């Protein structure tokens, strides 16, 4: 795979970055390094979100919402969306972490966490897709998706563009330039009142809301991710890739699963940031690396037991962390396409039972992996290099959904 050739490019890029960064470091004598990381943790059952200082473990705030929330950080990290699907509402938290780019460096401004006065209400909000300066909120039973401007949110206002989704369904919408990629439900079948129709494909709509080109087939479309300028969607047939296509709209290409893969398909996807690749599940006990520009698009990696959660390391692009139901944390080397290290980090959490039962979730912060342990009311912190547990943070109730926001920057 092309991924395995990227290592040399990464090393070259790091060398170039060091050469060009050196003069700036001496020129800006008035700059001081500043670093801040915050965790946001939602309870599995109780309607509360905790904001926690990552370094000290101190609770910065406890924010009451309406129901149990799933958390999604915006692309900038300035806001966190707390989606309460069973209660038809989404709250927004200001993280207090703000980066501004200045070419040779970026500034970091740190302020208080705040529950913003803006909320979004609709029938069963579910998928939130962060993208550039906005986020797309999809309402499964509302028949719509909202494109939400983040700058307006931070001013306490709602600036929204709403698009129709043909018919209520468990779907997703993603922006690509001036176009929007929207899942397509099967409108020809009759469903029971408490059921939603299956997804059968993806369509592209323009600024006026008109469809561009034909629908691309993608049976049971589920899961999406962005990497570089590409967007990927999981399908039963393969992984559907959307590429920028200029004024004519995105170009859609199906990467069909090869015949030598075992039976299965991808329904959850993560997208690389510093490298162009995707990591997806393949059934419950395998993951697959996806390189859209390689002759061999898929590389399968088997796991010893079923996957509970997985996450990419944005600061170390070649690392992905996978937690399996036996309580082991595995480090997947993206370049080699194999598991390199593992350690036991929690008690076993079986995948049997309801899919929404309280199980650990992962986040990456400042060279560490944060793992919620709802059974023991803890967030466990592990060193990413040694996989040793370095400390724990007590969080009342059943800490479940978690996101980490932060980084380093200059202060004047």
């Amino acid at each position: 795979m092309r991924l395995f050739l990227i290592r040399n490019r990464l090393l070259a890029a790091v060398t170039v970055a060091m050469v060009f960064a050196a003069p700036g470091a001496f020129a800006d004598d008035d700059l001081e390094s500043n670093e801040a990381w915050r965790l946001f943790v939602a309870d599995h059952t109780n309607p509360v979100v905790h904001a926690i200082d990552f370094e000290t473990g101190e609770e910065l705030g406890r924010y009451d919402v309406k129901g149990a929330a799933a958390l999604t950080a915006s692309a900038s990290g300035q806001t966190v969306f707390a989606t309460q699907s069973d209660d038809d509402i989404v709250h927004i938290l200001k993280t207090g972490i703000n980066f501004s780019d200045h070419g040779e460096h970026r500034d970091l401004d740190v302020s208080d966490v705040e529950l913003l006065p803006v909320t979004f209400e609709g029938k069963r909000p579910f998928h939130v897709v962060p993208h550039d300066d906005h986020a797309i909120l999809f309402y499964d039973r509302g028949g719509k998706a909202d494109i939400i401007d983040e700058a307006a949110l931070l001013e306490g206002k709602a600036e929204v563009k709403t698009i129709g989704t043909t018919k209520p369904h468990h779907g997703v919408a993603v922006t690509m330039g001036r176009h929007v990629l929207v899942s397509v439900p099967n409108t020809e079948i009759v469903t029971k009142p408490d059921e939603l129709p299956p997804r059968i494909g993806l369509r592209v709509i323009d600024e006026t809301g008109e469809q561009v080109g034909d629908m691309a087939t993608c049976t049971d479309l589920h899961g999406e991710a962005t990497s570089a300028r590409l967007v990927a969607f999981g399908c039963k047939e393969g992984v559907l890739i959307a590429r920028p296509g200029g004024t004519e709209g995105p170009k859609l290409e199906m990467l069909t699963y090869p015949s030598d893969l075992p039976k299965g398909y991808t329904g959850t996807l993560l997208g690389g940031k510093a490298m162009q690749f995707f990591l997806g599940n393949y059934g419950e006990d395998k993951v697959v690396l996806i390189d859209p520009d390689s002759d061999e698009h898929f590389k399968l990696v088997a796991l010893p037991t079923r996957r509970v959660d997985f996450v990419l390391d944005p600061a170390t692009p070649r690392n992905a962390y996978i937690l399996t139901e036996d309580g082991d944390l595995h480090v997947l080397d993206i370049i080699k396409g194999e598991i390199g290290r593992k350690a036991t980090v929690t008690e076993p959490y079986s995948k049997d039972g309801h899919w929404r039962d309280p199980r650990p979730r992962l986040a990456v912060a400042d060279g560490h992996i944060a793992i919620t342990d709802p059974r023991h009311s803890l967030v466990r912190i592990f060193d990413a290099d040694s996989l040793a547990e370095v400390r724990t943070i007590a969080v009342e109730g059943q800490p479940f959904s978690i996101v980490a926001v932060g980084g380093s920057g200059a202060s004047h």
Side-chain angles (χ1 to χ4, degrees), residues 72-299:
T72 306
S74 67
S76 71
Q78 293 187 75
T79 55
V80 168
F81 287 71
T83 305
Q84 301 140 71
S85 299
D86 292 342
D87 294 273
D88 297 335
I89 192 169
V90 179
H91 286 80
I92 316 294
L93 289 97
K94 172 189 168 186
T95 67
I97 303 290
N98 181 26
F99 293 99
S100 53
D101 183 67
H102 294 275
E104 75 284 357
H105 72 274
R106 63 177 185 172
D107 286 354
L108 169 62
D109 295 317
V110 181
S111 58
D112 293 338
V113 181
E114 180 184 350
L115 182 64
L116 295 174
V118 182
T119 59
F120 296 91
E121 298 186 35
K123 295 182 178 179
R124 196 165 177 78
F126 207 91
H127 283 298
V128 177
V129 179
H131 199 282
D132 293 336
D133 59 356
H134 60 273
I136 307 94
L137 172 58
F138 195 97
Y139 299 86
D140 283 3
R141 294 190 177 275
K144 68 172 184 175
D146 287 339
I147 303 174
I148 302 167
D149 181 77
E150 184 177 38
L153 285 180
L154 293 168
E155 295 176 357
K157 300 181 293 187
E159 187 175 309
V160 178
K161 179 181 179 180
T162 300
I163 60 173
T165 61
T166 308
K167 182 179 181 179
H169 66 285
H170 179 56
V172 69
V174 186
T175 55
M176 180 172 272
R178 293 180 297 176
H179 294 82
V180 185
L181 310 168
V182 189
S183 54
V184 178
N186 188 333
T187 59
E188 297 181 356
I189 65 171
V190 178
T191 57
K192 298 178 181 178
D194 60 338
E195 292 181 348
L196 294 172
R199 288 82 58 202
I200 58 172
L202 186 79
R203 65 190 178 108
V204 178
I205 61 174
D206 62 18
E207 291 177 293
T208 68
E210 294 297 317
Q211 181 171 323
V212 178
D214 298 328
M215 180 198 78
T217 298
C218 178
T219 305
D220 285 354
L221 183 153
H222 195 280
E224 60 71 37
T226 299
S227 181
R229 301 182 67 201
L230 307 185
V231 182
F233 301 86
C235 319
K236 277 197 171 180
E237 299 85 0
V239 173
L240 184 66
I241 300 294
R243 301 177 183 271
T247 57
E248 297 180 356
K251 304 300 181 185
L252 305 178
E253 173 193 7
M254 177 63 76
L255 306 181
T256 306
Y257 301 126
S259 58
D260 59 349
L261 286 188
K263 185 177 180 180
Y265 64 96
T266 295
T268 302
L269 283 161
L270 305 175
K273 296 298 183 280
M275 300 186 294
Q276 181 183 284
F277 73 95
F278 298 95
L279 176 65
N281 72 309
Y282 193 79
E284 290 196 299
D285 61 354
K286 302 175 186 65
V287 294
V288 63
L289 285 162
I290 304 155
D291 185 347
D293 293 333
S294 172
D295 292 335
E296 299 179 13
H297 300 307
F298 299 92
K299 181 172 179 59

Side-chain angles (χ1 to χ4, degrees), residues 11-93:
L11 293 174
V14 170
T15 303
V16 172
M18 291 174 65
V19 170
F20 283 97
F26 290 103
D28 294 316
D29 293 331
D30 61 329
L31 298 183
E32 294 183 1
S33 180
N34 189 20
E35 186 168 5
W37 285 91
R38 288 171 175 173
L39 300 178
F40 293 83
V41 182
D43 192 87
H44 179 267
T45 306
N46 296 322
V48 61
V49 179
H50 304 270
I52 299 169
D53 182 285
F54 176 73
E55 182 178 0
T56 66
E58 175 189 358
E59 183 170 88
L60 302 175
R62 181 187 187 279
Y63 302 94
D64 294 326
V65 290
K66 189 176 179 181
L71 304 181
T72 306
S74 67
S76 71
Q78 293 187 75
T79 55
V80 168
F81 287 71
T83 305
Q84 301 140 71
S85 299
D86 292 342
D87 294 273
D88 297 335
I89 192 169
V90 179
H91 286 80
I92 316 294
L93 289 97

